[in-house]
Amino acid sequence: MAEQSTTPGGKRGYAGTWPPRAAAPVGSYLPVRASIWRPFVETLGQWARAEAGAGRLLPWVPVAFGIGIAFYFAAEHEPVPSVAATVAIALCLLALLLRRRSVFPAVVMLAAIAAGFAMATWKTARIAHGVLARPVFSVALTGFVETRDIREKTDRFVLRVVSMESQREVPKLERVRLSVKKGTAPEVGSFVELKTRLMPPLGPQRPGSYDFGRDLYFQGIGASGFVMGAVKTREPPAAGGLALRYAAFMQWLRDAIDARIRTTLDGDQRAIATALLTGRRDAITTPVNDAMFISGLGHVLSISGYHMAVVAGVVFFTIRALLALFPALTAGHPIKKWAAAAALVAAAFYLLLSGAEVATQRSFFMTAVVLIAVIVDRRAITFRTLAVAALIVLAIAPEALVHPSFQMSFAATLGLVALVQIGLPNLLASPDHSATARVALWGGRELTMLMLASLVAGLATTPYAAFHFHRVTPYGLLANLAAMPVVSAIVMPAGMLGLLAMPFGFDGVFWAIMGFGIDWMILVTQWVAALPGAVGRMAAFGIGPLIVASAGLVLLGLLRTPLRWSGAVLLVMASVWALLVPQPDVLVSADGRNVAVRGGDGRLHLMHSAKDAFLVKEWLAADADARTATDASLGEGVSCDPSGCVTQSSNGGFVALAVRPEALADDCERAALIVTARPPPPRGCAASVIDAERLRRHGALMLRRTRDGYAIDAVKPGGIDRPWSPAVPGDGDSETTLRAPASTPRPAVDATPAETDLQGED
């Protein structure tokens, strides 16, 4: 007889039955007033209580902390730090007082949101500095060189400004980033004197695109530009400080490693080896770099969790194996903890050597938490480990939340931890099964884990790759399966051994081994990138679908009950939403010198009075257009003369780019839309006009055609005033629509021809 037990619905029923059987009257076989909603609601409540159970709260704290940071970056004006801090402290104290009440989880989440908002506000106030608003020419600078990048065509360095002389009044700048001719960048730590042309930090190239100026602001850089003339080294008026000496030493160490690698490897072999060990990846040639990202192996070039795990793993297992050779140590001492401590030191050194970028910091903190868990005899790979690492990174650098490396890195790690915690125990839960055992003996389990890890990490990072880089990698799983075992077993271990052997002069053989593995990796990337359909392009779709997709990933990764499948529903919704977002009809650059118009063929056609290859590349990528910035088809249907350009849009109307004032009168009669970097035409113009004043206040524009004119999206909507994007004086609320002015009736003209003009005509 079946045994009675408590069912998920909360009622007594027969074991194995769901939903519980309803009571039936005597002589009847059908239940009376059967309800399917009550058990369903009770089940949802049971799942929700399980998700809010003991030990399930911590992984959600960094999520709430990140939401608070996101609210900060969405604010129109800079918050008041004292108010933000007061609210955060008050909510934290309230959560402490209510820790034994049922409302504790909700209060903790509110406190975490307030803490994230306050932390971001405090960080911005702490690093406040001047930002250049307009270009300036022939600026004399002196200062200390803090960093240096060796790139494929030009070199670049960051100068900590000591003195500045300019004919125009400019704000005091603390740091500037300058480009120089390749091979002429000064040494890190040196004091230099130079002349330069400075420009404001590069902002978004179109509404919704990445804000490079915000990144530079949080790096303390207020302007960028290039050197004019020679860079002269001078005696510093004072010492540069301990931080500068540390930066100079680390740069010397990276240069020494690169020089040793250069004795054995060259070209892309040397560039990739240097990138893997020091984080300096700008010397990789463009074809190989593009192939790496197209094939889905671009993550190998950015030092992140994978590299840190390999370094720590190699050191951990090597030290443990060496110590295990001595029975006395094995029997009486915790050699596993010793090996974990050595691996932690190696990971810290690798962090400093590679430049300590955001992704590398996250990787180090995650690895450090895992190794510390080993030292204190706690479980290592858990959601709590990830939560602690996320909180540390966001507390130190709140701006990391809006950076693609943080988003992709944590999305991949969340997916992998969920795979380890939830997926693999279910997948590999039958070790006694004969078929499973036979497959495992032949390495099937390791291969399956590698495939699943590559698949999960690739899927988890897809929304962010599509949003930031407008790319997806259809063959990413294939490329990772073919290349990553070689990178893990040959390239990275050889690199670590090469670093250890450098002081003794025996590193050449390890660089050669590393080069063989890199050759295989390049071969795989080029083969995969050449496959049909390897370039997966995705048009820009805005922040809305990305937020929904992020929520879906978090729910799918953190929830344990069947409620987690609500995350899959959100991911489907985000995908559909992203595909349905309409593309703009007109794009206008911030300086008004480049205009792209969607023609009757559905593609963008470019009018420009000054070439900007980077801008055009960004526009084409966001439009999922495979053409390059030099493609001749961009100019099809565009007519230009010294006064300006004109082209026809998809609805048959003309869009004009007016370069000279005399072109405005003619364009007002013929064009539906005029873009000019000059003052607007006089009243009575029959066309809609985007003039210099609008561009100065609102930056780059994106227009979508409507019945009455155009709907406008601006990089800087009216009312937005942030330290990295200060409002222009006189700025007000921006117009969200651009309506064509009412046509002014033309005066009547006598149409009677002269008699002399009629002579000779039939």
Side-chain angles (χ1 to χ4, degrees), residues 746-759:
R746 299 182 182 182
V749 179
D750 185 6
T752 305
E755 293 185 4
T756 55
D757 294 335
L758 295 175
Q759 294 177 1

Side-chain angles (χ1 to χ4, degrees), residues 219-474:
Q219 296 174 29
I221 298 174
S224 60
F226 58 88
V227 172
M228 303 170 60
V231 179
K232 303 175 183 178
T233 303
R234 297 285 186 258
E235 287 294 325
L242 181 61
L244 189 64
R245 290 197 295 271
Y246 160 77
F249 172 76
M250 295 308 299
Q251 186 64 46
W252 169 83
L253 185 58
R254 296 186 193 104
D255 291 342
I257 293 172
D258 182 62
R260 292 298 303 169
I261 294 174
R262 196 188 297 269
T263 60
T264 306
L265 306 177
D266 58 4
D268 286 312
Q269 277 187 332
R270 190 267 305 177
I272 293 176
T274 300
L276 293 176
L277 296 178
T278 68
R280 197 169 67 189
R281 55 183 181 271
D282 293 324
I284 302 172
T285 59
T286 301
V288 172
N289 191 65
D290 290 343
M292 293 286 289
F293 283 95
I294 292 172
S295 64
L297 289 174
H299 65 91
V300 178
L301 302 179
S302 177
I303 295 178
S304 56
Y306 166 76
H307 305 77
M308 195 67 68
V310 170
V311 170
V314 168
V315 174
F316 177 82
F317 289 110
T318 301
I319 297 296
R320 190 177 183 185
L322 291 175
L323 293 176
L325 296 176
F326 302 94
L329 293 177
T330 305
H333 298 83
I335 62 172
K336 181 180 179 181
K337 297 181 180 182
W338 293 357
L344 183 60
V345 173
F349 173 75
Y350 191 45
L351 171 71
L352 300 177
L353 179 64
S354 60
E357 295 184 354
V358 172
T360 317
Q361 292 179 28
R362 193 277 312 163
S363 308
F364 170 74
F365 292 132
M366 183 74 181
T367 304
V369 172
V370 169
L371 294 172
I372 292 172
V374 172
I375 294 173
V376 298
D377 295 322
R378 298 295 297 270
R379 193 176 179 183
I381 303 177
T382 65
F383 288 110
R384 292 187 177 188
T385 304
L386 179 62
V388 171
L391 281 174
I392 294 174
V393 172
L394 291 177
I396 295 175
E399 69 277 8
L401 181 78
V402 294
H403 199 279
S405 66
F406 175 89
Q407 296 168 3
M408 298 179 71
S409 181
F410 265 98
T413 307
L414 175 62
L416 293 175
V417 174
L419 178 65
V420 171
Q421 293 283 293
I422 302 173
L424 291 183
N426 295 329
L427 180 66
L428 306 174
S430 303
D432 56 337
H433 192 278
S434 59
T436 305
R438 285 197 300 269
V439 173
L441 287 175
W442 289 96
R445 179 171 296 188
E446 287 72 16
L447 181 61
T448 301
M449 291 179 64
L450 179 60
M451 291 179 60
L452 286 175
S454 299
L455 180 62
V456 168
L459 291 177
T461 57
T462 293
Y464 306 100
F467 178 80
H468 291 289
F469 309 114
H470 313 293
R471 285 180 177 177
V472 294
T473 54

Side-chain angles (χ1 to χ4, degrees), residues 646 653-656 666-674 685-688:
V646 65
F654 286 94
V655 179
D666 194 29
D667 291 337
C668 281
E669 294 184 2
R670 301 181 180 182
L673 174 67
I674 300 174
C685 183
S688 301

